[in-house]
Amino acid sequence: MASEPTTVTITGGGGQIGYALMFRIAAGEMLGPDRPVRLRLLEIPQGMRAAEGAALELQDCAFPLLIDVDVTDDALTAFNGARIAMLVGARPRTAGMERGDLLAANAGIFGPQGKAIGAVADEDVRVVVVGNPANTNALIAAASAAPEVPVHRFSALTRLDHNRAVGQLAETLQVGAGDIDGVTIWGNHSATQFPDVSHATLRQTQGSWGGMPVLEALADRLGGREAATAWLDDVFIPRVAKRGAEIIEVRGSSSVASAANAAIDHVRDEQLGTPGRSWTSAAVVSRGEYGVPEGIVCSFPVRSGGIGLLGDGYEVVEGLDLDARAQGRLAASVEELVAERDAVRELGVL
Ligand code: NAD
Ligand code: LMR
């Protein structure tokens, strides 16, 4: 028997990422082939026509799982009964900007939306923030929805960085992306993030490399441990951390399909669980894990037993060893997150 429809609200439904998200969600690629969905698209008045046009196209796809689509510029209508809220609507950066430069422009969006979520969303709502700077926007939204919604129901997207890291390793090692396990993105979705492969391994299917730590396979491929470390420091880490800027430079505008894909991965793994993998990466509200100040929205290794199945969504994987260099990289990114939090406090948004 088909399950009850799940209400999924997408903000910025008239924008690029919104457009790349909604058809895949309606096709069942996020919540699976047995879960019907109601889509709610929130826009500002200027974006309404684009969102309405997308809704017409959704209708024309005749997706069996799609129960209905509402388009609105009223946040209380958009979040009413939402089980999943994907906060995408925000200004993207352009060439030469850092994501943090969007703080002043975008911070004002997430307080009112958080408040609306607290007022009308489903009591078990899960919220992922995609709009940049995603970690700090999630902090604002979570603080505004509390106490009606526990802050730990909010997260920010660093799955795109995680997928980028896996993609770079797969290309360098000439293995499939699915053969790499245990990569972590630590910190902020910004150039200070720390993509960490020190606990990553290759799956058993990889012939003589099967089960091997990624660090050893890199040493094998690149001509020794020193060469592997140099590649990680000089090529891999900066490439992953600055990939968003590279996309903007090459494409002329910020990532869209890969961002939507990562957002779908993020929600699917939180809702349905992460069995068979050690962990994935997501920015969640710190409870003080790994020395990160409580309340900061920081990317960690996370796993989920699903929601309403075996678990309560994402939880941080604790107990991983971080050497002094890794701790230094995490501390630098956390320092930036603390500075962003302080800046929005000064703006009076938090
Ligand atoms: P876009 O400009 O194409 O679309 C944004 C849409 O949001 C527009 O239609 C706009 O009208 C709407 N909008 C603005 N304010 C709104 C509000 N208050 N309520 C509802 N809708 C609102 O931009 P895009 O390419 O879709 O990117 C959206 C955001 O996602 C940007 O901030 C971008 O930097 C960010 N992003 C994040 C990641 C990530 O990994 N976290 C990846 C890519 C992009
Ligand atoms: C990305 O990582 O591609 C997005 O955050 C967009 C950006 O501004 O880099």
Side-chain angles (χ1 to χ4, degrees):
M1 203 182 76
S3 55
E4 277 294 297
T6 300
T7 299
V8 179
T9 302
I10 303 173
T11 73
Q16 295 289 323
I17 296 175
Y19 191 73
L21 271 177
M22 59 184 82
F23 295 88
R24 292 188 58 191
I25 296 171
E29 290 180 37
M30 186 166 83
L31 299 175
D34 302 322
R35 228 163 123 180
V37 290
R38 283 183 204 289
L39 280 178
R40 298 253 172 75
L41 310 180
L42 177 65
E43 258 298 344
I44 50 176
Q46 304 89 293
M48 284 294 285
R49 291 298 281 169
E52 282 162 2
L56 295 182
E57 282 201 72
L58 278 168
Q59 199 177 29
D60 294 347
C61 292
F63 288 116
L65 289 172
L66 184 61
I67 304 302
D68 59 34
V69 188
D70 295 320
V71 183
T72 176
D73 59 7
D74 175 56
L76 289 173
T77 307
F79 292 117
N80 190 18
R83 281 295 289 271
I84 297 167
M86 304 176 80
L87 307 191
V88 179
R91 198 183 132 191
R93 67 172 164 156
T94 44
M97 293 172 83
E98 287 300 326
R99 298 181 188 93
D101 297 337
L102 294 169
L103 254 188
N106 287 339
I109 295 174
F110 293 86
Q113 288 185 357
K115 230 181 212 355
I117 288 169
V120 297
D122 185 276
E123 61 178 3
D124 202 22
V125 64
R126 304 298 151 136
V127 185
V128 57
V129 175
V130 176
N132 278 319
N135 300 51
T136 299
N137 290 337
L139 180 80
I140 296 167
S144 309
E148 281 76 14
V149 179
V151 292
H152 295 283
R153 302 264 175 84
F154 285 75
S155 57
L157 190 71
T158 52
R159 183 60 175 267
L160 178 55
D161 310 290
H162 179 102
N163 289 349
R164 286 168 171 164
V166 171
Q168 292 298 316
L169 291 172
E171 195 195 6
T172 302
L173 294 172
Q174 293 290 295
V175 299
D179 292 320
I180 295 169
D181 185 40
V183 167
T184 306
I185 303 296
W186 300 91
N188 199 1
H189 174 60
S190 77
T192 68
Q193 68 181 259
F194 172 37
D196 177 16
V197 305
S198 58
H199 304 93
T201 54
L202 288 166
R203 287 195 195 280
Q204 296 298 344
T205 48
Q206 279 311 309
S208 61
W209 281 354
M212 194 187 258
V214 158
L215 282 175
E216 279 178 39
L218 283 170
D220 207 20
R221 163 77 63 192
L222 299 172
R225 198 71 190 222
E226 230 172 77
T229 306
W231 180 81
L232 286 168
D233 286 349
D234 302 339
V235 180
F236 172 78
I237 292 177
R239 185 123 212 232
V240 172
K242 296 181 184 163
R243 185 64 154 193
E246 184 183 349
I247 301 286
I248 291 171
E249 191 195 318
V250 176
R251 246 191 120 239
S253 62
S254 71
S255 62
V256 175
S258 57
N261 178 66
I264 285 172
D265 285 350
H266 174 111
V267 173
R268 185 200 56 229
D269 283 357
E270 182 173 32
Q271 292 282 324
L272 306 182
T274 50
R277 275 164 299 151
S278 300
W279 57 78
T280 182
S281 304
V284 298
V285 179
S286 169
R287 292 179 155 101
E289 297 93 340
Y290 297 96
V292 175
E294 229 174 287
I296 291 288
V297 178
C298 180
S299 187
F300 288 108
V302 294
R303 64 167 75 99
S304 167
I307 289 175
L309 300 168
L310 298 169
D312 194 30
Y314 283 135
E315 58 185 47
V316 174
V317 175
E318 295 200 68
L320 299 181
D321 280 335
L322 292 180
D323 66 19
R325 266 159 58 91
Q327 282 180 24
R329 287 187 188 276
L330 172 58
S333 200
V334 167
E335 196 181 312
E336 183 185 45
L337 285 168
V338 169
E340 287 185 10
R341 181 200 60 193
D342 293 347
V344 290
R345 276 188 182 154
E346 264 173 43
L347 288 171
V349 188
L350 198 62

